[in-house]
Amino acid sequence: MRKMLNCLFLWGGVLLTACSTSGQNKSQESKDTVDFTKDIHSFSEPESTVVSHLSLELKVDFEEQKLKGVAKLLVDRKKGNKLMLDTRLLTIQEVTDGQEKLTYTLHEAVPFLGSPLEIDLKEGTKEVWVYYETSPEAPAIQWLSPQQTAGKKNPFLFTQSQAILARSWVPIQDSPGVRFTYDAKVEVPEGLVALMSAENPQIKNDSGTYTFVQKKPIPAYLLALAVGDVTFQPLGKNIGVYAEPSMMKEAAYELGEMDQMMLAAEKLYGAYQWERYDVLFLPPSFPFGGMENPMLTFATPTIIAGDRSLTSLIAHELAHSWSGNLVTNATWNDFWLNEGFTVYFELRIMEEVYGKDFSDMLALISKRDLLAELEGMEYGEDTKLKLNLEGRDPDDGMNSIAYDKGFYFLKLCENTVGRTKWDAFLSKYFSEHAFQTITTEEFLTYLDENLLSKVDGAKETIKPDMWVYRNGLPDNCPEVTSFRYDQVKEEVGKFIEGTSASDLQTSDWKYFQEWEYFLSALPDALSKKQMKDLDKAFKFSQTGNNEIRFQWLMHVVKSEYTPAYPTLEKFLMKVGRRKFIAPIYKAMAQQEGTRALGQKIYQKARPNYHYVAVSTIDTYFAEQAKP
Ligand code: BES
Ligand code: ZN
């Protein structure tokens, strides 16, 4: 029997209204009953006192690398007389109720979870003001020197709150099950703009103070701030892009099809709920491809390829506006509910905009990645959809299984009941759970009651429990074929058998994915002659497409192809996207012939990387150092 990991706290008749000074649509956001599923990654005790609104006032100090200010929290009290907040490396100066001091205890720090802040409330206390500053080591914040930006003249900063890093820049109940509205006032140095996961300014002002409102209740992992010399360009009604001035032209071109993605998404699963959708391009050290901060997706500039070929990432982050931001995983153990649905939705958007031919290729890439991940994880416990992250940093346990196995589970549901019923079910799911959290168990019950039980034999065919609670990949995983990839495989075969690269038939290849697949399907270690032949024919060393570049660099490492080492080093010095740099360093650390070079480059590049990238890559070299 599976052990129940979550205890459920239920309150009848409690009205949780996100009481905001900014006034919002109450009917949408209030609930009669609130249930808080125990989150093992938060010290907050929302069943006693829960934060419903945050007013943040911050001053951004680039010299000291600190945010300084006050977080004014509106609380709903259920029982007891304390408020528990999550903090990590914060210096707490004072806590008041807006007038008088409140007593508090900042408990000892627990690894990766931080220090619980326990505040004693007086009778009738409804507001709690926490005066604080962040540490230069705050894991959520990356402070960039002018040299690390495109313009090279101004500093930059961005935050990354998911999964449990928000607590290192705001004292808050940092649990996906706690939603609150927010407003903010942020003071920045002259010439810079502040942007948040909220209604944003579109022009620079002279005062250097920017104000923000987020009227919809969001969990803390969606709090975000960026400060830099950025400008705005509209791309359609209610959509636009922010980027440093020197890259705006390329940025705006790359996102030229975003309006079509929005149309497709709304047609599929209902109206967009967040008013505006803008994308901010960050400097290349951003550790992720994209982050779905509400109203303002943060994106890596490594998707700017000049031909709009990498924008499925934008479809993914846009899809999170429904799966994740509207309907949220209750705990990080239920992460697949955020990411599996989002990959599924992303591929449906891509199919709608670019056709089935294209989305089939993406599905096949997902299968390839899934099989590789399962293999790499030896089909162990973390290959279940429902995770058990007890005692671990969620960032260590959350892996791509949630994305790809999650996608295939949902694809199987679609195939079994047919698209019409499935789409109707999903639209209903999103609208009935809007602005709420959901556990895996609640989802399975909802799926059964609203869909599977109504279609003969569906549950027996799908076997949901097998997908969710067992390791590995069930036998009923859908097969996907792509005639484009079949053609690519043929050419791979020919190359392995000795046909020279320039004689391969590649003239029909229409998408970069075909090239990427070609490289990934080649044997890991190629001979120097083969590498040279490939580069001469296809100019992989000079590609502007970072997905191709990544696959090529993996071969450069595994084949120890020294002529391309300068390109390798240049890439690692500039780009901080973990998906690319972590596998490269891992391969370098594992090979005798590349280990020393890997370590040398890493030492030089490490200060350019964000905390989440560093915490992954450090382990590769540490493992090698062990006897
Ligand atoms: N929400 C994730 C990023 C994330 C996940 C941050 C877990 C911290 C913890 C985001 O939506 C995402 O999945 N990004 C992907 C891109 C996507 C196209 C698969 C990435 O960054 O690679
Ligand atoms: Zn995602």
Side-chain angles (χ1 to χ4, degrees):
M1 270 282 280
R2 191 173 48 81
K3 210 171 94 197
M4 279 303 289
L5 296 165
N6 299 317
C7 14
L8 210 65
F9 300 90
L10 285 166
W11 287 268
V14 174
L15 192 73
L16 177 77
T17 306
C19 32
S20 149
T21 44
S22 47
Q24 79 271 347
N25 178 354
K26 285 192 177 161
S27 64
Q28 196 172 31
E29 287 118 24
S30 37
K31 286 180 268 167
D32 294 346
T33 312
V34 182
D35 54 33
F36 294 103
T37 300
K38 185 72 192 145
D39 175 4
I40 51 176
H41 294 111
S42 171
F43 293 111
S44 63
E45 292 170 9
E47 67 278 16
S48 300
T49 304
V50 66
V51 172
S52 61
H53 183 81
L54 158 72
S55 278
L56 198 57
E57 288 170 27
L58 289 177
K59 188 174 180 313
V60 179
D61 186 335
F62 276 97
E63 271 85 57
E64 288 190 47
Q65 302 203 327
K66 284 178 178 176
L67 303 178
K68 302 173 177 175
V70 54
K72 301 177 178 175
L73 307 167
L74 236 57
V75 295
D76 264 341
R77 297 177 61 173
K78 324 283 182 204
K79 60 176 184 192
N81 53 7
K82 62 176 185 177
L83 168 68
M84 293 297 291
L85 299 177
D86 293 296
T87 76
R88 185 168 168 190
L89 297 175
L90 298 182
T91 303
I92 307 297
Q93 287 138 349
E94 188 169 76
V95 181
T96 74
D97 62 5
Q99 277 153 351
E100 289 172 14
K101 282 192 187 183
L102 295 175
T103 54
Y104 65 89
T105 314
L106 185 62
H107 292 276
E108 212 174 297
V110 176
F112 65 81
L113 294 176
S115 313
L117 175 60
E118 181 176 347
I119 300 163
D120 305 315
L121 306 178
K122 297 178 185 166
E123 209 187 312
T125 305
K126 288 213 168 63
E127 290 194 29
V128 175
W129 295 14
V130 183
Y131 292 85
Y132 73 102
E133 59 182 48
T134 60
S135 152
E137 272 75 53
I141 313 175
Q142 194 175 11
W143 299 87
L144 299 176
S145 67
Q147 206 45 40
Q148 290 172 280
T149 67
K152 316 263 179 242
K153 288 204 188 83
N154 290 289
F156 202 107
L157 100 80
F158 65 83
T159 63
Q160 167 58 42
S161 297
Q162 197 183 12
I164 56 166
L165 305 180
R167 64 192 69 177
S168 73
W169 69 284
V170 187
I172 198 75
Q173 294 184 315
D174 192 4
S175 172
V178 178
R179 301 181 98 88
F180 50 87
T181 48
Y182 80 86
D183 61 71
K185 196 161 97 183
V186 181
E187 209 185 308
V188 302
E190 214 189 308
L192 304 186
V193 184
L195 300 170
M196 294 191 81
S197 50
E199 276 170 35
N200 274 302
Q202 294 184 346
I203 42 169
K204 235 179 241 174
N205 69 36
D206 293 332
S207 72
T209 300
Y210 294 87
T211 54
F212 305 87
V213 180
Q214 176 52 268
K215 293 183 204 146
K216 313 276 178 159
I218 60 157
Y221 80 89
L222 296 176
L223 280 172
L225 169 70
V227 178
D229 177 15
V230 291
T231 53
F232 173 76
Q233 189 169 311
L235 294 173
K237 193 172 164 269
N238 299 333
I239 64 171
V241 57
Y242 291 88
E244 288 189 63
S246 68
M247 57 187 280
M248 182 49 104
K249 198 162 161 250
E250 288 79 11
Y253 175 79
E254 211 70 21
L255 301 189
E257 285 154 356
M258 212 156 82
D259 54 343
Q260 292 176 49
M261 292 182 184
M262 178 61 93
L263 277 176
E266 291 197 293
K267 191 176 133 201
L268 281 164
Y269 301 126
Y272 181 73
Q273 299 282 330
W274 303 88
E275 291 176 28
R276 290 199 55 85
Y277 182 71
D278 297 316
V279 172
L280 164 66
F281 278 109
L282 293 170
S285 67
F286 182 52
F288 293 106
M291 177 64 213
E292 66 271 26
N293 298 314
M295 306 180 81
L296 185 68
T297 281
F298 283 12
T300 170
T302 61
I303 62 162
I304 303 180
D307 59 3
R308 300 176 173 172
S309 58
L310 300 180
T311 49
S312 64
L313 183 129
I314 299 296
H316 178 97
E317 303 312 333
L318 173 64
H320 270 305
S321 308
W322 287 258
S323 43
N325 298 5
L326 207 54
V327 185
T328 309
N329 53 206
T331 75
W332 298 116
N333 287 334
D334 307 297
F335 182 54
W336 78 277
L337 290 174
N338 273 19
E339 297 300 343
F341 276 77
T342 300
V343 173
Y344 178 83
F345 196 170
E346 167 199 339
L347 265 62
R348 290 295 303 274
I349 295 173
M350 295 312 278
E351 179 179 332
E352 201 72 30
V353 180
Y354 302 100
K356 193 162 176 329
D357 214 22
F358 190 77
S359 59
D360 279 352
M361 286 194 311
L362 298 181
L364 221 84
I365 292 177
S366 169
K367 184 65 115 7
R368 174 193 73 192
D369 295 348
L370 174 58
L371 295 174
E373 184 85 349
L374 287 167
E375 195 74 32
M377 293 166 62
E378 292 165 358
Y379 297 83
E381 290 288 302
D382 285 344
T383 65
K384 292 177 173 148
L385 285 180
K386 174 91 187 193
L387 296 171
N388 180 3
L389 298 170
E390 181 91 56
R392 284 192 285 170
D393 184 340
D395 202 49
D396 295 338
M398 287 152 59
N399 55 58
S400 65
I401 295 293
Y403 292 74
D404 300 313
K405 186 174 170 185
F407 163 73
Y408 272 99
F409 172 49
L410 301 174
K411 179 96 190 131
L412 174 64
C413 293
E414 180 205 319
N415 291 355
T416 309
V417 304
R419 199 168 256 196
T420 312
K421 286 202 176 101
W422 175 243
D423 281 353
F425 166 78
L426 278 188
S427 297
K428 189 165 136 99
Y429 168 68
F430 288 131
S431 77
E432 287 183 359
H433 296 88
F435 300 102
Q436 294 176 32
T437 47
I438 184 160
T439 62
T440 298
E441 289 66 31
E442 285 161 344
F443 171 72
L444 290 180
T445 306
Y446 186 81
L447 175 71
D448 198 24
E449 284 174 1
N450 292 280
L451 186 68
L452 303 189
S453 63
K454 297 182 176 163
V455 180
D456 269 356
K459 195 171 179 186
E460 295 70 26
T461 307
I462 296 169
K463 303 190 181 82
D465 283 357
M466 206 162 80
W467 279 83
V468 172
Y469 299 115
R470 291 223 201 131
N471 300 2
L473 192 63
D475 294 342
N476 58 359
C477 182
E479 293 290 335
V480 188
T481 55
S482 157
F483 78 89
R484 293 198 166 274
Y485 279 1
D486 291 341
Q487 286 173 356
V488 172
K489 270 187 256 168
E490 250 177 65
E491 300 311 306
V492 169
K494 285 193 214 158
F495 182 72
I496 293 169
E497 270 156 33
T499 305
S500 84
S502 53
D503 290 333
L504 297 177
Q505 278 159 31
T506 60
S507 55
D508 286 346
W509 296 3
K510 203 167 134 192
Y511 303 109
F512 93 83
Q513 280 84 357
E514 291 161 296
W515 290 101
E516 194 256 8
Y517 194 72
F518 173 75
L519 282 168
S520 79
L522 288 170
D524 274 351
L526 296 162
S527 70
K528 298 252 160 5
K529 187 164 160 278
Q530 283 173 315
M531 288 292 285
K532 202 168 159 196
D533 185 24
L534 286 170
D535 205 15
K536 187 158 167 257
F538 304 130
K539 310 261 176 307
F540 287 130
S541 285
Q542 290 152 47
T543 178
N545 183 305
N546 283 299
E547 295 283 343
I548 297 179
R549 188 194 302 275
F550 164 67
Q551 292 289 355
W552 172 245
L553 292 176
M554 286 301 285
H555 285 294
V556 166
V557 170
K558 294 199 167 161
S559 314
E560 299 186 17
Y561 185 58
T562 50
Y565 280 7
T567 323
L568 173 70
E569 178 161 353
K570 214 167 122 209
F571 182 78
L572 292 172
M573 288 303 294
K574 185 171 168 200
V575 172
R577 188 174 170 189
R578 184 170 64 175
K579 170 184 151 178
F580 293 148
I581 63 172
I584 293 178
Y585 280 120
K586 190 173 188 179
M588 290 182 92
Q590 279 168 351
Q591 276 173 189
E592 189 70 47
T594 48
R595 193 173 309 140
L597 179 67
Q599 203 139 21
K600 196 177 115 212
I601 299 177
Y602 185 50
Q603 240 163 29
K604 255 198 300 177
R606 197 176 178 280
N608 294 338
Y609 298 149
H610 187 275
Y611 166 86
V612 301
V614 165
S615 46
T616 303
I617 301 165
D618 277 353
T619 62
Y620 302 152
F621 291 105
E623 273 161 27
Q624 287 308 321
K626 283 183 205 144

